[in-house]
C-alpha cells in the first residue's frame, strides 16, 4: 500500500468535518469560544472625548510659552472625576482638575499633566485648588483621547470564525454585547485500546504499562477548545470495544478518538465493530513519527484512530486531529502558524515528513533549534523538554547545521 502524503491525509479528513451548531452565551462564558457571527461596533469608542491622565483640562492657548521659570496661572473652576458629566464651559484663563477617563468640559482642548503644575499633593479626598500654575506648554489635543479614536460606530470589529481571546471579551463588553453568538464546544469521545494498559493508580504488573495517552490526548482535546468525554480503556474483546463505541454514539459526540491498535493486523475488533455500523479505512501516511492512521465513521460519527506510541499519538493529534477540531469548532483558519528557525546542529530523517522534538532559543538574535533528546516514538521525555516540533519535508534525509527549517511552537 502506497504512503499518503501528510497534506493529502489531512485534506481527506477535513472534508468530513463541518462546524457544529451555534449558541448564544453570556459574555462571561465566551472566552476561547469561536465567534459564530460578525460583530460591528454599535457606537464609537471612546464614547466621548476624555483625559488620558490625571491633570488639568484647559485651553492650549492659555499656556503657550509656559516654562518652569515662566509659569502661567489659571483659575480652577471645576473638579471632574471619572464618571461625571462636566457642567462647565471653560473660557480664557480657566482650567478644571480632571481625572483619567473623565469627559473633557466644553471649551477645553488639551490636558496638562498634574506633574507639570504646582499642585503636587494628590492625597485622596483633597479638593481642587482655587488656582494652578502651569510650568509646561501643551498643544491642542495633547493627552486627550477623542471620541471614536479606537473604533467608529458601524466599523467591523470581529469576524465569525475568530477565537475569542481575553482582550476580545473586553472590547465586546465595551460595545455592550452581553450575549454572544458562538459555536458550541465540539464533544470528543476518547478511548484507549489494549489489554496491556493499566490505570494510573494501579500497581504495575509484568508485561503491563500505565495508560498515559488518555491523559495527554484529553489535555490536547481541551487545548483545542473541545469538550472531552473519557470512555476509558477498551479491552481486546469485541464486546468491550462495542460497548464503548455504542456509548459514544448514545452521547451524540462529534468525534470518536482512540489511541493504540492501528497497526496492520492489530485492530481487528475495532475494525469489526465499526464496519458493522459504519466504515473504517487504514492509511499509511508518509510521516515520522506516526505512520499508521485509521479514519472512518461509526453510526455517522467521524472516527480517528491514532498510534499507541506516546509521541506518535501526540504528533498525530497535532497534524490531523487539531485541524479537524478547529473545523468542527468553527475556526476560520485551522492551519497552525509556522516560524522559521535555524538548526543549531545537523539533523537526520528517513525521508518521510518528520516532526522532530526540539528546544528553540534565541542565540545572537536568531531563533536556533537544538534537538531535545532521543527521537524514538516511545520517548516522551524529549517531548516534555521540547518547546517546538521541527518540520523536515518529505524526501529530505539530512539537514546541515545553520540551515533554516519550519517549526511549530508548542
Amino acid at each position: 500500500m502506497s504512503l499518503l502524503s501528510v497534506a493529502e491525509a489531512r485534506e481527506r479528513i477535513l472534508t468530513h468535518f463541518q462546524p457544529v451548531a451555534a449558541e448564544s452565551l453570556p459574555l462571561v462564558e465566551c472566552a476561547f469560544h469561536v465567534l459564530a457571527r460578525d460583530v460591528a461596533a454599535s457606537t464609537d469608542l471612546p464614547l466621548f472625548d476624555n483625559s488620558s491622565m490625571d491633570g488639568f483640562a484647559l485651553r492650549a492657548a492659555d499656556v503657550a510659552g509656559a516654562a518652569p521659570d515662566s509659569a502661567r496661572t489659571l483659575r480652577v473652576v471645576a473638579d471632574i472625576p471619572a464618571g461625571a458629566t462636566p457642567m462647565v464651559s471653560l473660557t480664557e484663563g480657566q482650567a478644571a482638575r480632571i481625572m483619567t477617563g473623565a469627559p473633557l468640559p466644553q471649551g477645553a482642548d488639551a490636558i496638562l499633566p498634574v506633574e507639570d503644575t504646582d499642585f503636587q499633593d494628590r492625597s485622596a479626598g483633597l479638593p481642587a485648588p482655587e488656582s494652578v500654575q502651569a510650568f509646561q506648554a501643551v498643544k491642542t489635543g495633547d493627552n486627550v483621547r477623542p471620541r471614536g479614536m479606537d473604533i467608529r460606530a458601524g466599523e467591523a470589529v470581529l469576524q465569525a470564525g475568530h477565537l475569542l481571546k481575553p482582550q476580545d471579551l473586553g472590547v465586546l463588553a465595551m460595545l455592550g454585547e452581553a450575549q454572544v453568538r458562538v459555536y458550541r464546544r465540539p464533544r470528543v469521545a476518547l478511548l484507549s485500546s489494549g489489554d496491556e494498559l493499566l490505570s494510573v493508580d494501579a500497581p504495575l504488573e509484568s508485561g503491563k504499562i500505565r495508560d498515559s495517552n488518555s491523559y495527554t490526548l484529553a489535555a490536547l482535546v481541551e487545548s483545542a477548545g473541545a469538550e472531552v468525554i473519557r470512555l476509558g480503556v477498551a479491552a481486546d474483546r469485541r464486546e468491550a470495544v462495542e460497548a464503548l463505541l455504542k456509548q459514544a454514539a448514545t452521547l451524540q459526540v462529534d468525534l470518536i478518538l482512540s489511541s493504540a491498535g492501528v497497526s496492520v493486523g492489530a485492530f481487528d475488533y475495532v475494525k469489526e465493530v465499526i464496519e458493522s455500523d459504519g466504515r473504517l479505512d487504514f492509511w499509511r501516511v508518509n510521516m515520522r513519527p506516526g505512520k499508521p492512521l485509521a479514519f472512518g465513521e461509526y453510526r455517522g460519527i467521524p472516527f480517528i484512530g491514532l498510534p499507541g506510541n506516546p509521541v506518535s499519538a501526540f504528533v498525530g493529534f497535532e497534524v490531523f486531529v487539531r485541524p479537524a477540531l478547529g473545523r468542527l469548532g468553527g475556526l476560520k483558519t485551522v492551519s497552525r502558524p509556522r516560524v522559521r528557525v535555524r538548526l543549531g546542529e545537523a539533523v537526520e530523517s528517513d525521508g518521510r515528513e518528520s516532526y522532530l522534538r526540539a528546544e528553540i532559543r534565541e542565540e545572537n538574535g536568531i531563533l536556533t533549534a537544538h534537538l531535545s533528546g532521543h527521537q524514538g516514538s516511545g520517548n516522551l521525555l524529549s517531548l516534555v523538554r521540547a518547546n517546538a516540533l521541527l518540520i523536515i519535508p518529505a524526501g529530505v534525509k539530512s539537514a546541515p547545521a545553520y540551515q533554516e527549517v519550519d517549526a511549530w511552537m508548542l
Side-chain angles (χ1 to χ4, degrees), residues 366-396:
I366 298 172
L367 292 178
T368 304
H370 297 269
L371 297 183
S372 57
H374 195 282
Q375 297 295 306
S377 59
N379 298 90
L380 197 56
L381 182 59
S382 57
L383 182 57
V384 170
R385 291 172 173 166
N387 63 3
L389 292 176
L390 305 181
I391 305 172
I392 309 301
V396 176

Side-chain angles (χ1 to χ4, degrees), residues 46-393:
L47 289 164
F48 45 80
D49 296 350
N50 69 89
S51 176
S52 67
M53 59 179 57
D54 294 344
F56 290 85
L58 45 71
R59 305 185 331 155
D62 288 342
V63 293
D69 59 353
S70 181
R72 300 290 187 270
T73 302
L74 303 173
R75 188 161 63 93
V76 179
V77 297
D79 198 8
I80 310 173
T85 299
M87 304 302 292
V88 299
S89 181
L90 301 187
T91 59
E92 184 178 352
Q94 293 182 338
R97 185 172 72 161
I98 193 167
M99 300 296 112
T100 302
L104 259 66
Q106 290 291 321
D109 59 18
I111 304 296
L112 179 68
V114 70
E115 294 86 353
D116 294 329
T117 73
D118 65 343
F119 186 71
Q120 297 297 318
D121 191 342
R122 305 183 205 176
S123 303
L126 187 70
E130 293 184 359
S131 64
V132 65
Q133 287 190 310
F135 299 132
Q136 183 68 46
V138 292
K139 300 187 297 295
T140 297
D142 279 359
N143 308 312
V144 173
R145 296 183 291 214
R147 175 173 181 153
M149 74 173 295
D150 190 18
I151 298 172
R152 289 289 186 184
E155 181 180 345
V157 178
L158 295 169
Q159 293 184 326
H162 176 77
L163 181 67
L164 291 173
K165 303 180 292 297
Q167 58 268 40
D168 300 324
L169 269 60
V171 79
L172 289 172
M174 287 182 173
L175 294 171
E177 300 282 347
Q179 293 285 131
V180 183
R181 194 73 178 163
V182 296
Y183 292 104
R184 68 168 175 81
R185 296 193 188 280
R187 290 160 50 84
V188 179
L190 177 64
L191 64 136
S192 300
S193 173
D195 283 343
E196 74 278 13
L197 298 178
L198 297 171
S199 65
V200 69
D201 56 351
L204 286 174
E205 302 175 23
S206 177
K208 306 283 188 178
I209 59 173
R210 293 192 176 102
D211 171 28
S212 63
N213 282 350
S214 67
Y215 292 90
T216 300
L217 292 173
L220 286 169
V221 167
E222 291 175 345
S223 76
E227 176 187 348
V228 62
I229 299 168
R230 298 180 66 149
L231 299 182
V233 176
D236 290 330
R237 298 189 303 276
R238 189 188 194 285
E239 60 271 21
V241 173
E242 187 172 37
L244 292 189
L245 289 175
K246 283 184 175 180
Q247 183 182 352
T250 301
L251 292 169
Q252 296 183 316
V253 297
D254 303 295
L255 172 66
I256 301 171
L257 178 64
S258 77
S259 68
V262 294
S263 297
V264 175
F267 210 178
D268 294 341
Y269 290 116
V270 173
K271 183 177 189 297
E272 180 182 329
V273 172
I274 288 181
E275 290 186 335
S276 70
D277 208 349
R279 64 174 185 82
L280 187 65
D281 295 324
F282 293 102
W283 297 343
R284 295 171 70 241
V285 183
N286 191 29
M287 64 182 289
R288 168 179 175 250
K291 180 169 65 174
L293 180 72
F295 177 71
E297 55 90 11
Y298 178 71
R299 297 189 178 182
I301 302 170
F303 171 88
I304 298 178
L306 298 174
N309 280 320
V311 181
S312 297
F314 181 97
V315 171
F317 182 95
E318 292 298 334
V319 173
F320 303 113
V321 184
R322 188 178 293 277
L325 291 179
R327 180 69 58 83
L328 274 173
L331 278 177
K332 189 173 184 179
T333 302
V334 298
S335 58
R336 189 165 188 158
R338 299 185 178 198
V339 297
R340 292 291 284 179
V341 300
R342 187 178 69 181
L343 294 176
E345 61 190 279
V347 300
E348 295 184 355
S349 180
D350 62 359
R352 290 178 286 167
E353 183 169 313
S354 297
Y355 295 80
L356 306 182
R357 287 144 270 170
E359 181 184 356
I360 294 177
R361 53 181 180 265
E362 189 173 309
E363 296 178 1
N364 299 318
I366 298 172
L367 292 178
T368 304
H370 297 269
L371 297 183
S372 57
H374 195 282
Q375 297 295 306
S377 59
N379 298 90
L380 197 56
L381 182 59
S382 57
L383 182 57
V384 170
R385 291 172 173 166
N387 63 3
L389 292 176
L390 305 181
I391 305 172
I392 309 301

